[in-house]
Amino acid sequence: MAQIEQSDKGKKKKGAQKKMPIHVDFTPMVDMNMLLITFFMLCTTMLKSQTLKIALPSNEKVQNEQQKSQAAESQAITLLLDTERDEKGQPKFDADGKMKNVIYYYEGAPKLDANGEPLKDQLQTEAFLGNENNVQRGIRKILSERNKTVIKKINELKEKWRNKGFDPNNEDENQRLYEEEAAKVRNDKELKAPIVMIKATDEASWESVIGALDEMSISEISVYQLENLNDLDRKMLGLPVETPAAAPAQ
């Protein structure tokens, strides 16, 4: 038992008044502290983990392969990620100390010449740039322009969510209903949202890959895929084409 008792040690004077010993029991205080700790632990709202949501491929099967290729070509945007490097292979940095990541992109299928070689002038160059005075820049502007119909509908849902228009009495339910409606908009095939292919060169940094995934989330693009460079991509970038290894002689 936790307690404090007064010590009676020392000489007592003759005729001195007898004092009662002091006894303080701290057990109730310890019990009260444990109850308070338990109360705050149960009533505290923990922060929800902020994780990057990646849209996984759909399990739906397309019956008409011709329609599948036509839809992919009309909506496809291919991003080729690269990093500017010096003669020693070290990445270059801008005035703000940020790595100079370069994005090459083209829309639709690669354009070929009469010999079947890709045209290099179809590549366009952009960079990862944030908004300036609420104006979109860089690759974000390109993606948002292609996905403006979805973004407009998502912004309308966000405004309704901020005003608790889904459920004014329950914040969690209001959030859940908003996310449910937003997912329907992102996956609505009638809106013709872009399909983005993200490909990184051997010199590209992980920062550029993460930046590209962030732009997918900011631009409300739900259909995208990480892929390897193919021979046409390498030719457009002026990179050597990988030759398959020869089969061993038998």
Side-chain angles (χ1 to χ4, degrees), residues 100-247:
K100 290 185 177 181
N101 297 313
V102 184
I103 307 172
Y104 303 99
Y105 75 94
Y106 62 89
E107 300 181 3
K111 298 178 178 61
L112 308 178
D113 59 16
N115 298 322
E117 296 295 324
L119 302 175
K120 294 184 179 181
D121 57 359
Q122 66 185 300
L123 281 182
Q124 303 182 61
T125 307
E126 275 297 347
F128 293 112
L129 298 175
N131 296 350
E132 185 175 13
N133 298 325
N134 294 326
V135 177
Q136 296 170 333
R137 303 181 300 163
I139 194 63
R140 184 178 303 176
K141 180 179 179 181
I142 304 299
L143 297 174
S144 298
E145 283 293 326
R146 290 291 304 271
N147 204 34
K148 59 184 178 182
T149 304
V150 173
I151 293 176
K152 180 180 178 182
K153 290 182 175 294
I154 293 293
N155 288 337
E156 292 173 356
L157 292 176
K158 285 182 179 179
E159 186 66 23
K160 183 178 178 180
W161 165 72
R162 294 190 186 99
N163 296 328
K164 297 184 178 180
F166 293 101
D167 192 331
N169 301 320
N170 190 320
E171 185 175 349
D172 292 338
E173 186 67 11
N174 186 62
Q175 175 74 22
R176 187 190 68 80
L177 292 174
Y178 158 72
E179 292 178 353
E180 184 177 303
E181 292 298 321
K184 292 180 181 179
V185 172
R186 296 187 186 98
N187 297 321
D188 190 351
K189 297 180 181 179
E190 299 297 328
L191 298 178
K192 302 297 183 183
I195 300 172
V196 182
M197 306 296 174
I198 304 173
K199 304 180 181 183
T201 66
D202 295 338
E203 302 298 327
S205 64
W206 278 107
E207 180 183 356
S208 63
V209 177
I210 298 301
L213 295 177
D214 286 342
E215 294 299 332
M216 299 300 106
S217 178
I218 294 172
S219 302
E220 301 292 348
I221 296 176
S222 60
V223 183
Y224 55 90
Q225 184 173 347
L226 290 171
E227 291 187 352
N228 295 324
L229 293 175
N230 55 34
D231 291 345
L232 292 178
D233 298 326
R234 290 182 173 275
K235 289 179 180 180
M236 280 189 285
L237 293 171
L239 299 175
V241 177
E242 293 183 348
T243 56

Side-chain angles (χ1 to χ4, degrees), residues 38-145:
T38 304
F39 171 79
F40 287 123
M41 288 179 63
L42 295 176
C43 296
T44 301
T45 302
M46 300 298 178
L47 292 177
K48 296 181 179 179
S49 60
Q50 301 294 326
T51 57
L52 181 63
K53 295 182 179 180
I54 299 179
L56 298 177
S58 174
N59 290 328
E60 297 180 3
K61 295 183 179 179
V62 179
Q63 300 296 333
N64 192 330
E65 290 296 331
Q66 184 178 0
Q67 292 180 356
K68 177 181 177 181
S69 61
Q70 290 177 353
E73 182 176 350
S74 62
Q75 300 170 236
I77 301 177
T78 302
L79 306 183
L80 305 178
L81 309 180
D82 201 359
T83 302
E84 291 188 23
R85 296 180 181 268
D86 56 20
E87 298 177 353
K88 297 181 179 180
Q90 298 299 320
K92 295 182 179 180
F93 297 87
D94 57 17
D96 297 329
K98 295 182 179 180
M99 190 178 297
K100 290 185 177 181
N101 297 313
V102 184
I103 307 172
Y104 303 99
Y105 75 94
Y106 62 89
E107 300 181 3
K111 298 178 178 61
L112 308 178
D113 59 16
N115 298 322
E117 296 295 324
L119 302 175
K120 294 184 179 181
D121 57 359
Q122 66 185 300
L123 281 182
Q124 303 182 61
T125 307
E126 275 297 347
F128 293 112
L129 298 175
N131 296 350
E132 185 175 13
N133 298 325
N134 294 326
V135 177
Q136 296 170 333
R137 303 181 300 163
I139 194 63
R140 184 178 303 176
K141 180 179 179 181
I142 304 299
L143 297 174
S144 298
E145 283 293 326

